[in-house]
Amino acid sequence: MSHKVLMLPGDHVGPEIVAEADKLLRCLASEFGLAVELEYANLGGCGVDAEGAPLPDSTLALARDSDAALLGAVGGPEWDYIERDKRPERGLLAIRAALGLFANLRPALLNPELVNASSLRPEVVSGLDILIVRELTGGIYFGQPRGIRTRADGVREGFNTLVYGVDEIERIGRAGFEAARRRDGRLCSVDKANVLESSELWREVMEGLAGEYPDVSLSHMYVDNAAMQLVRDPRQFDVMVTGNLFGDVLSDCAAMLTGSIGMLPSASLDETGRGLYEPVHGSAPDISGQGIANPLATLLSVAMLLRFSLDEGELAQRVERAVAGVLADGLRTADLGGGQGQSVGTAAMGDAVVAALRAQAN
């Protein structure tokens, strides 16, 4: 049976990095027998330009019919001042909600070859391997009511609602516990229970789930302390689970511990394992079209896609070994400090990973 993968190049550097993922998937098909069908569609600013919506109906229909989707990146300054409901980021939020992609998995893994690229001292970050599990379809990004209004005194104010139901917390909590069970068995739940009622409930539900996972050690941490601890002693963490807003901030903080946000993949999963996979970095309009964007986060997103949605764990490991191999050989894109090794562009890095993958077939 052939797997259906929807390719969503998106905006600016998105098409450049997704092109390298296309090479990788076609290599897996030709050299390792992966049965996969690739289809392309618009999401983001390109959807607005081509079809009048950041998430065209045609794209959503293809996504519903796919086993997984791979996204490049969305957004750019040319869409900053259009109607809010047509901005590229609204398409990303909409597809997550429409497909029920509630669990965002963001690994922060530091390759030994890149330890000097981190902004922290090597002795602080060497061996870093964190997984952040972020709730993705609830919280303040989706809560109602929301908007901008004028008060009785004439002052305009913006307002948003932070709300979580027990069902939402249990669902993401179980995802966090299951992830910790597969790793080192340590789960840190991040909240702001000293201030927010929604976090009081969050902590209560997490404590209730802990009894179902006696093999996992559960701890709690306020989000402000968690941000500080990620910089002070990041290796204390194994798996972190948190809400939408806190996870958005903490995952980007953790990303920079690895030396470059261009190295980090992510997965957004529903309850069946269908997912949307994307690099953590944005569309980088400042380097768009220059052929220097780092494709490794996208290629590692393919590895996550293989593992979680296509049940091809062995092929996922092969991709990860290929990426590690090219880094060990000294290849570097500009964001990794190209001058410290052999400086290469987007396509050359993608070609090197494909070559390293193909060598595993011989």
Side-chain angles (χ1 to χ4, degrees), residues 2 47 53 66 70-71 90 170 187 190 204-205 211 218 231 236 253 273 282 291 332:
S2 182
S66 299
L70 181 72
L71 172 64
R90 304 306 297 181
E170 286 184 340
L187 178 64
V190 178
E204 175 187 321
V205 172
L218 174 66
V231 177
Q236 69 182 279
C253 179
R332 302 287 186 269

Side-chain angles (χ1 to χ4, degrees), residues 80-96:
D80 280 351
Y81 301 103
I82 63 175
E83 303 94 317
R84 178 173 292 274
D85 63 350
K86 288 189 176 182
R87 292 179 188 173
E89 296 76 13
R90 304 306 297 181
L92 183 55
L93 292 174
I95 196 170
R96 289 171 177 170

Side-chain angles (χ1 to χ4, degrees), residues 179-198:
R181 173 175 278 175
R182 293 190 296 266
R183 291 168 52 96
D184 195 41
R186 295 180 292 116
L187 178 64
C188 180
S189 176
V190 178
D191 59 40
K192 193 62 177 170
N194 58 335
V195 175
L196 302 174
E197 286 80 1
S198 60

Side-chain angles (χ1 to χ4, degrees), residues 32-361:
F32 298 92
L34 177 66
V36 63
E37 299 176 22
L38 306 183
E39 293 188 273
Y40 279 79
N42 293 316
L43 179 74
C46 62
V48 174
D49 292 347
E51 303 180 56
L55 175 59
D57 291 341
S58 56
T59 298
L60 183 56
L62 287 172
R64 293 188 191 278
D65 192 45
S66 299
D67 298 301
L70 181 72
L71 172 64
V74 301
E78 59 266 55
W79 300 288
D80 280 351
Y81 301 103
I82 63 175
E83 303 94 317
R84 178 173 292 274
D85 63 350
K86 288 189 176 182
R87 292 179 188 173
E89 296 76 13
R90 304 306 297 181
L92 183 55
L93 292 174
I95 196 170
R96 289 171 177 170
L99 297 181
L101 307 177
F102 74 94
N104 181 229
L105 308 184
R106 290 197 177 190
L109 175 68
L110 180 59
N111 292 82
E113 296 82 9
L114 300 180
V115 67
N116 289 319
S118 175
S119 54
L120 299 185
R121 299 190 309 273
E123 61 267 28
V124 176
V125 292
S126 293
L128 179 71
D129 185 359
I130 301 172
L131 177 65
I132 296 179
V133 179
R134 168 191 170 194
E135 199 288 322
L136 203 59
T137 57
I140 200 166
Y141 290 172
F142 292 92
Q144 296 291 339
R146 62 187 295 159
I148 299 174
R149 62 193 173 196
T150 302
R151 300 189 321 223
D153 62 1
V155 176
R156 298 177 73 226
E157 64 180 8
F159 60 98
N160 295 86
T161 303
L162 172 54
V163 58
Y164 270 116
V166 168
D167 55 338
E168 294 174 295
I169 303 169
E170 286 184 340
R171 187 171 62 171
I172 195 64
R174 292 185 193 281
F177 275 107
E178 292 291 343
R181 173 175 278 175
R182 293 190 296 266
R183 291 168 52 96
D184 195 41
R186 295 180 292 116
L187 178 64
C188 180
S189 176
V190 178
D191 59 40
K192 193 62 177 170
N194 58 335
V195 175
L196 302 174
E197 286 80 1
S198 60
S199 281
E200 287 183 27
L201 180 62
W202 180 286
R203 185 170 293 206
E204 175 187 321
V205 172
M206 292 298 297
E207 283 290 340
L209 290 174
E212 301 178 24
Y213 298 89
D215 52 335
V216 175
S217 173
L218 174 66
S219 62
H220 302 278
M221 191 173 289
Y222 296 145
V223 62
D224 45 347
N225 186 32
M228 181 181 71
Q229 294 297 329
L230 274 174
V231 177
R232 188 187 74 83
D233 181 20
R235 290 180 299 182
Q236 69 182 279
F237 298 109
D238 178 28
V239 179
M240 306 173 77
V241 62
T242 191
N244 208 341
L245 175 61
F246 298 159
D248 196 359
V249 175
L250 292 178
S251 56
D252 278 4
C253 179
M256 285 313 299
L257 301 177
T258 68
S260 172
I261 203 168
M263 287 298 301
L264 300 180
S266 74
S268 302
L269 306 176
D270 70 6
E271 295 183 5
T272 70
R274 180 173 60 180
L276 174 68
Y277 299 83
E278 57 183 307
V280 172
H281 63 73
S283 64
D286 56 320
I287 61 170
S288 176
Q290 298 179 36
I292 61 173
N294 186 349
L296 294 182
T298 306
L299 302 186
L300 290 170
S301 294
V302 172
M304 295 187 77
L305 183 156
L306 292 165
R307 178 172 290 115
F308 291 107
S309 290
L310 305 191
D311 195 26
E312 296 282 358
E314 181 182 347
L315 292 184
Q317 291 178 355
R318 289 183 181 274
V319 172
E320 290 162 350
R321 286 199 299 268
V323 170
V326 300
L327 291 173
D329 288 342
L331 273 65
R332 302 287 186 269
T333 46
D335 61 302
L336 299 176
Q340 298 180 14
Q342 180 184 348
S343 182
V344 296
T346 308
M349 181 64 89
D351 288 343
V353 173
V354 169
L357 180 64
R358 184 170 286 119
Q360 298 178 37

